[in-house]
């Protein structure tokens, strides 16, 4: 059995997501925003965040795969699914579950930037700043967390645990992949 320890409760997450939604609403007052979620980890965060933004909001999704096993990235990111519609001239908020090394969001940000959005911001529920290798930071960050492997609220370990309502630490002794 894997051992799970609650790091962030659903109540803490809900309060923080509401706060981020308010900030986004204020920052883009009177404008439309396009949330682009990174599949699959960002889906739950995106669904909750979208409902806290009191603006004209649309969704799109992007999917990337990174080589390496569940915990170790090789540094190579590949686009698996592009956005469905053009981002040119739009206010884009890239929505991701966690900023870790920053490789994934650096790759996606550069890709989208080439299509000249009006604004391009990053919303990340979690930030493991101590692991960063790339020069990138979130504009709307929920929580700074220590360098531990977490699951729940969209985050997975080998596709499991995405549906946990709280963000939990998966104790390292139980990780075998
Ligand atoms: P980065 O490219 O290193 O910033 O990694 C971002 C991706 O790694 C995230 O989208 C997650 O899929 C995955 N990731 C990083 N840390 C964790 C974690 O603690 N739990 C689950 N997935 C993680
Ligand atoms: Mg992910």
């Amino acid at each position: 059995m894997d051992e799970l320890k609650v790091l962030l409760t659903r109540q803490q997450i809900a309060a923080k997501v509401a706060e981020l939604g308010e900030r986004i609403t204020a920052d883009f007052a009177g404008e439309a925003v396009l949330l682009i979620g990174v599949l699959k980890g960002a889906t739950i965060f995106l669904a909750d965040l979208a409902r806290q933004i009191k603006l004209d909001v649309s969704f799109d999704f992007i999917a990337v795969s990174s080589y390496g096993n569940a915990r170790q990235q090789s540094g190579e990111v590949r686009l698996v699914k592009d956005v469905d519609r053009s981002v040119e001239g739009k206010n884009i908020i890239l929505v991701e579950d966690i900023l870790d090394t920053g490789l994934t969001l650096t790759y996606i940000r550069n890709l989208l930037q080439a299509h000249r959005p009006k604004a391009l911001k990053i919303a990340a529920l979690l930030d493991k700043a101590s692991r960063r290798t790339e020069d990138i930071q979130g504009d709307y960050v929920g929580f700074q967390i220590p360098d531990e492997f977490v699951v729940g609220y969209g985050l997975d370990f080998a596709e499991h645990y995405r549906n946990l309502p709280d963000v939990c630490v998966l104790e390292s002794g139980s990780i075998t992949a």
Side-chain angles (χ1 to χ4, degrees):
M1 274 300 277
D2 292 336
E3 237 190 274
L4 299 166
K5 260 199 207 142
V6 175
L7 179 68
L8 301 165
T9 66
R10 62 202 78 182
Q11 291 83 2
Q12 285 175 294
I13 297 168
K16 186 62 77 173
V17 172
E19 199 184 301
L20 296 178
E22 271 175 37
R23 280 180 50 205
I24 292 169
T25 303
D27 290 354
F28 290 94
E31 300 193 42
V33 297
L34 173 59
L35 302 182
I36 299 183
V38 184
L39 293 173
K40 307 167 206 166
T43 51
I44 292 177
F45 177 41
L46 185 144
D48 284 346
L49 181 64
R51 286 176 285 182
Q52 298 296 334
I53 301 174
K54 313 292 184 243
L55 300 171
D56 175 3
V57 171
S58 319
F59 300 167
D60 207 333
F61 293 94
I62 213 166
V64 293
S65 78
S66 34
Y67 297 102
N69 65 31
R71 297 207 61 183
Q72 285 291 311
Q73 295 226 18
S74 66
E76 225 182 304
V77 181
R78 186 170 57 94
L79 186 68
V80 172
K81 184 214 167 294
D82 204 347
V83 288
D84 292 336
R85 303 179 63 192
S86 167
V87 304
E88 191 175 336
K90 295 181 185 160
N91 294 313
I92 306 299
I93 300 177
L94 197 47
V95 182
E96 176 60 307
D97 49 8
I98 186 166
L99 249 169
D100 188 29
T101 62
L103 282 162
T104 307
L105 282 182
T106 299
Y107 173 82
I108 298 171
R109 182 188 61 182
N110 294 346
L111 206 80
L112 295 176
Q113 201 81 64
H115 294 280
R116 288 171 292 142
K118 180 178 178 192
L120 179 54
K121 302 286 183 190
I122 290 172
L125 179 73
L126 307 175
D127 186 1
K128 272 189 211 171
S130 64
R131 295 250 312 156
R132 198 85 83 254
T133 59
E134 308 305 300
D135 182 20
I136 189 165
Q137 58 191 32
D139 300 288
Y140 304 102
V141 173
F143 302 91
Q144 296 291 336
I145 63 164
D147 182 13
E148 299 201 76
F149 196 81
V150 293
V151 295
Y153 199 75
L155 292 120
D156 74 306
F157 174 62
E159 298 299 328
H160 296 282
Y161 305 120
R162 292 195 197 275
N163 61 324
L164 296 180
D166 309 306
V167 169
C168 300
V169 173
L170 187 64
E171 297 292 307
S172 49
S174 58
I175 295 173
T176 49

